[in-house]
Amino acid sequence: MTASYDKTISQAQSNESQNLVDGFNNLDTDAKLAWFYLVYKKMGDSITPAAPAAAEPELAPLLLGDYFELSDEQQLDIMRDIVNRKDTEYSRAYGAIKENNQLLVWYAWAVAMGDKVVDLPASYEPTKAITDLVSQIEGLDFDEQISVFRTIAGEVGYTDVKPIKTQAETGKTSSL
């Protein structure tokens, strides 16, 4: 079973990486959205293009097509539903795709912010917790950054796919 299906297994490998994931998880909903925005504004050019062949935007037409036609309030509600793991159409669409595509969704939304996607208010000032997390992630090497991004992207959204129990858990061997 791979980590992409089990939202309880973190891809963040080091203690520092896991602390960043925990820090993100401790943010409130809108702070999480601001974190995504700020990370992509500062580092987006290196996040998503890192594995362009691994991302398949055609798998997320609802998120990378229809979403752009919605009102600012509808878009914001969808983003909030995704980071809160609510069982909604858009959150399920997000939860159904792999982490590379999830990263692509956040990247596409960040690039379009202020144009086709709701933007941060002009007067917005990030909290110290957000700026600290952004600074910490900038201090990681590239592989750890990607690990943290994939972990965070993979932990949001809704999915009812459950990991397959291991032989150790069931006491049975699989049969073909």
Side-chain angles (χ1 to χ4, degrees):
M1 190 75 242
T2 62
S4 62
Y5 292 105
D6 186 351
K7 304 285 188 194
T8 63
I9 297 174
S10 176
Q11 290 187 38
Q13 301 300 315
S14 71
N15 285 339
E16 186 177 11
S17 296
Q18 189 56 52
N19 289 341
L20 273 164
V21 172
D22 293 343
F24 174 84
N25 288 332
N26 289 329
L27 296 173
D28 68 36
T29 301
D30 287 340
K32 288 176 182 176
L33 295 177
W35 180 88
F36 271 115
Y37 177 80
L38 295 170
V39 163
Y40 274 98
K41 275 297 193 197
K42 284 187 154 204
M43 306 170 69
D45 289 341
S46 63
I47 298 169
T48 302
E56 303 163 274
E58 67 276 5
L59 295 179
L62 193 65
L63 301 164
L64 296 174
D66 298 352
Y67 176 86
F68 293 111
E69 306 304 318
L70 301 172
S71 72
D72 286 358
E73 194 57 42
Q74 289 171 311
Q75 290 177 347
L76 187 56
D77 287 344
I78 288 166
M79 287 182 190
R80 287 174 173 153
D81 288 347
I82 289 171
V83 298
N84 288 322
R85 302 175 186 104
K86 287 194 176 176
D87 184 0
T88 65
E89 178 184 17
Y90 281 88
S91 193
R92 278 181 173 269
Y94 178 91
I97 57 178
K98 298 256 188 209
E99 286 92 347
N100 286 336
N101 290 317
Q102 292 169 335
L103 291 174
L104 178 65
V105 167
W106 289 109
Y107 177 74
W109 290 353
V111 167
M113 278 192 167
D115 181 22
K116 290 184 171 185
V117 174
V118 61
D119 204 351
L120 285 174
S123 62
Y124 179 78
E125 288 293 326
T127 64
K128 181 173 178 357
I130 295 169
T131 56
D132 286 352
L133 285 173
V134 172
S135 294
Q136 288 170 27
I137 202 151
E138 287 178 305
L140 297 177
D141 68 39
F142 180 75
D143 288 338
E144 281 191 298
Q145 288 175 347
I146 293 298
S147 176
V148 169
F149 297 141
R150 282 189 179 129
T151 298
I152 289 172
E155 288 181 352
V156 298
Y158 182 87
T159 183
D160 52 10
V161 174
K162 305 291 184 237
I164 298 170
K165 291 187 178 194
T166 65
Q167 180 181 351
E169 292 172 316
T170 64
K172 299 177 184 176
T173 58
S174 59
S175 59
L176 298 177

